[in-house]
Amino acid sequence: MQAKELEFFKEQLLNAKEHILQNLILAQKELDQLQAQENNDDMDFASMRSDAMIEQLSSDQQSAELKEIEHALERIRNGSYNICEMCGEKIGIARLKAKPYANYCMTCRPLFEKSH
Ligand SMILES: [Zn+2]
């Protein structure tokens, strides 16, 4: 992979990481605010806010994504970024464009999913 392409994907990953971190920080802020307003009379407002927050805090998924992004950035650093972790073949650019933190090529991805 050319340095220029690698740079492109690195940027994609850093942007995605930044986006998730912002979401997590926002969710944490909302949680703090909610706790601060615990004794507030306006319960409807509070429960409405908490629904939105829970949705945002399905951050388990975001945390998992964050880990995958970190892993991909690590792979960029050690030069194995576009190499499939299962078969060692190159992962296609098109696949990486669709999912910049893909660990497996098109062939291995379904196999990986089946075994889990
Ligand atoms: Zn593969």
Side-chain angles (χ1 to χ4, degrees), residues 3-13 96-97:
K4 203 174 69 183
E5 289 170 322
L6 209 55
E7 201 55 39
F8 168 82
F9 286 116
K10 190 176 167 187
E11 196 143 310
Q12 298 278 303
L13 289 162
L96 289 170
K97 276 191 175 152

Side-chain angles (χ1 to χ4, degrees), residues 20-107:
I20 290 176
L21 286 177
Q22 291 294 335
N23 278 348
L24 291 176
I25 289 167
L26 210 69
Q28 185 57 51
K29 268 190 194 156
E30 296 217 1
L31 191 67
D32 289 348
Q33 266 175 14
L34 215 66
Q35 279 166 349
Q37 305 172 340
E38 223 165 58
N39 299 322
N40 197 315
D41 288 337
D42 196 354
M43 283 310 288
D44 285 346
F45 180 66
S47 63
M48 202 173 74
R49 305 260 305 168
S50 106
D51 281 351
M53 192 193 70
I54 286 164
E55 207 162 301
Q56 220 166 20
L57 272 185
S58 46
S59 59
D60 272 3
Q61 200 199 328
Q62 300 213 56
S63 301
E65 204 174 332
L66 196 60
K67 263 185 214 157
E68 289 197 75
I69 290 169
E70 290 287 4
H71 184 60
L73 287 167
E74 182 62 38
R75 278 152 58 77
I76 285 180
R77 275 194 292 273
N78 67 26
S80 66
Y81 174 59
N82 62 329
I83 307 296
C84 171
E85 289 196 336
M86 204 174 290
C87 70
E89 293 290 324
K90 282 185 181 165
I91 304 172
I93 295 274
R95 167 139 174 77
L96 289 170
K97 276 191 175 152
K99 192 184 175 194
Y101 47 87
N103 291 327
Y104 306 106
C105 70
M106 292 285 238
T107 316

